[in-house]
Amino acid sequence: MIMNVRSFLAISVASAVSLAAMTGCDDGPSAPVPPELGDIAVSQDKIGIGHQIVFTVEDQTSVSGNVYSLDPVWTINGNEIMDIYTSYDFVNGRGRYTCYYVPMNAGIMEVALNVDMRFNDAPAGEEEKSVSVSGEFEVVRCDARNSFWGDSVDITMYREPGLVKRGSSDEYIGEGTSSIMGLSSMISSVDLTYVFENGGLVQIVEEFLVSADRTDGYEYVAELFDFALRTLETDYAGGSIAGRTLEQLDTDRVECLSVAAKYRRGESLTGDEMALLGEGLVKGWVRIISNMSLDNTDIEFTTEALPTSSSVNMVLTYSRR
């Protein structure tokens, strides 16, 4: 029997429990006894930001008494969880309490379950009982996107639905949203490649195409590249530009090379200079590469020129360190 935990609860088997408790009692009803709660269990050992996790608690002993209502309340860091994300299951005289949650910040989660019970036919002052249990769980930043290095194919496909195996290789491909904060409002989706070795995840590649076929074409290309790069540098390098390098692929394009060098050094560019940088990225005259790292992850962001289509492919690679 599964129900929303805030719904009115009348446990049918409780009448049998109550009858057994009252058998042989001529001096009135016995005081009800609430169940003993077990520890809070969580659905995975390592909890990452953005993971959907499931907390569960099970009764270790059966309730004794004629239960009139039961009200379980889950809280996380003091905030009550809405009923639609919790459930209660009563089987064979014992309860199972469930809470679904998606942590959005790293740190310690203080998780608590409090169960208020009300009883019929109880002695005066014994009509209400409460039991509770609590625990602490750590949430950490994922190694890349919503994954940890070493994740299995099954776990990865659960967290990134829609991936398909590429031929006979250990690569899985698909589409998803960009992991670069704010970019999803400009780019609807990115092409994903997940690479595995010996059954464990070792690399994730995000690629997205940017076309210069618009009024502000080349300037737009450079501005979008700059937005993505600065966001990544803020996130993974504390705003440092030390990881930038410049590849001069056509040494005859002196003016473009000069502008690209200014950009690599972090100097401000005019609109015309941004347009020239964008043209260089699209036509393959120059290439900016930025390398960063964080904990277990190496990050590289760069471009692949596609001059015949007036486009550039922007490539973000996360690799296991």
Side-chain angles (χ1 to χ4, degrees):
M1 175 172 62
I2 301 175
M3 61 196 75
N4 184 279
V5 293
R6 286 298 179 87
S7 300
F8 173 80
L9 175 64
I11 305 176
S12 59
V13 297
S15 60
V17 174
S18 176
L19 179 61
M22 294 173 62
T23 301
C25 256
D26 298 326
D27 298 329
S30 300
V33 179
E36 178 182 338
L37 300 180
D39 293 335
I40 300 175
V42 67
S43 55
Q44 60 193 60
D45 294 332
K46 194 172 184 180
I47 303 171
I49 296 172
H51 287 178
Q52 179 177 314
I53 54 177
V54 183
F55 295 109
T56 54
V57 172
E58 295 184 355
D59 289 344
Q60 300 301 294
T61 58
S62 298
V63 61
S64 174
N66 187 1
V67 180
Y68 170 73
S69 68
L70 182 147
D71 185 18
V73 176
W74 288 89
T75 59
I76 297 180
N77 293 333
N79 299 311
E80 185 173 331
I81 304 303
M82 295 176 62
D83 296 348
I84 58 173
Y85 302 116
T86 66
S87 65
Y88 177 80
D89 182 11
F90 187 79
V91 178
N92 296 327
R94 297 190 183 186
R96 177 183 173 91
Y97 314 82
T98 304
C99 174
Y100 303 89
Y101 189 69
V102 178
M104 299 309 296
N105 297 291
I108 299 298
M109 287 189 298
E110 296 180 353
V111 183
L113 169 66
N114 185 78
V115 184
D116 293 326
M117 309 182 81
R118 297 172 181 84
F119 294 85
N120 281 330
D121 305 322
E126 299 287 344
E127 300 92 343
E128 298 183 1
K129 299 288 183 178
S130 295
V131 289
S132 62
V133 64
S134 62
E136 292 187 346
F137 302 87
E138 185 179 13
V139 181
V140 297
R141 181 174 184 161
C142 294
D143 292 326
R145 293 183 64 85
N146 59 354
S147 296
F148 292 116
W149 302 129
D151 280 352
S152 68
V153 172
D154 288 344
I155 289 175
T156 301
M157 294 186 72
Y158 170 76
R159 293 181 182 152
E160 196 74 68
L163 294 178
V164 295
K165 188 176 177 64
R166 175 186 280 167
S168 59
S169 69
D170 289 330
E171 297 182 358
Y172 288 74
I173 59 175
E175 290 188 357
T177 57
S178 173
S179 62
I180 302 174
M181 186 178 298
L183 194 65
S184 59
S185 63
M186 309 174 199
I187 301 296
S188 60
S189 65
V190 296
D191 293 326
L192 298 170
T193 302
Y194 282 72
V195 182
F196 296 83
E197 289 182 2
N198 300 318
L201 182 65
V202 297
Q203 187 178 79
I204 303 174
V205 181
E206 297 182 16
E207 300 179 62
F208 55 96
L209 194 69
V210 182
S211 174
D213 188 17
R214 47 185 289 164
T215 305
D216 59 347
Y218 291 133
E219 186 177 357
Y220 171 76
V221 169
E223 288 179 346
L224 197 149
F225 177 81
D226 179 63
F227 172 84
L229 178 55
R230 290 183 185 276
T231 301
L232 290 167
E233 289 172 336
T234 299
D235 205 16
Y236 292 104
S240 171
I241 64 170
R244 294 184 188 181
T245 58
L246 169 63
E247 285 190 359
Q248 301 180 10
L249 303 176
D250 188 339
T251 56
D252 292 332
R253 304 292 177 173
V254 178
E255 188 177 359
C256 181
L257 297 181
S258 176
V259 167
K262 286 180 61 177
Y263 180 80
R264 182 193 62 78
R265 295 191 299 267
E267 299 178 22
S268 298
L269 302 184
T270 66
D272 289 342
E273 287 175 327
M274 287 294 280
L276 185 57
L277 175 62
E279 184 178 9
L281 295 176
V282 169
K283 295 184 176 179
W285 301 339
V286 295
R287 184 169 177 248
I288 304 290
I289 305 169
S290 181
N291 288 284
M292 299 151 277
S293 63
L294 184 69
D295 300 328
N296 304 318
T297 305
D298 287 326
I299 304 101
E300 181 184 271
F301 185 61
T302 188
T303 59
E304 295 176 349
L306 301 169
T308 57
S309 61
S310 298
S311 303
V312 64
N313 205 29
M314 299 191 183
V315 185
L316 171 59
T317 304
Y318 297 103
S319 301
R320 185 174 193 167
R321 298 189 72 180

